[in-house]
Amino acid sequence: MMTETTRIKKTPATLILFAWLVVGIPAGWGVYNTVLNAKKLFATSPPAQMPQKETGRV
């Protein structure tokens, strides 16, 4: 019987961490800014002010 040995090449953990940071930091920044801008859509605005009538006095 002939058996083959297969070598499994493992990626270093530091490279995986670096790749996640390269993708995760900009993605997190984008989500953060999206949440800040979405808050503006759902914020209650102050009641509208009635325009002041001009009295015509000088």
Side-chain angles (χ1 to χ4, degrees):
M1 237 170 147
M2 190 185 270
T3 60
E4 288 186 33
T5 57
T6 306
R7 290 189 171 208
I8 299 173
K9 185 177 177 183
K10 291 188 174 184
T11 305
T14 54
L15 183 59
I16 294 171
L17 176 64
F18 178 72
W20 273 103
L21 290 175
V22 165
V23 174
I25 290 172
W29 182 253
V31 169
Y32 173 74
N33 283 313
T34 300
V35 169
L36 287 181
N37 287 322
K39 282 175 140 182
K40 296 175 191 174
L41 292 173
F42 297 104
T44 57
S45 58
Q49 296 288 330
M50 294 294 290
Q52 297 289 330
K53 290 185 180 181
E54 292 187 24
T55 58
R57 293 189 230 172
V58 178

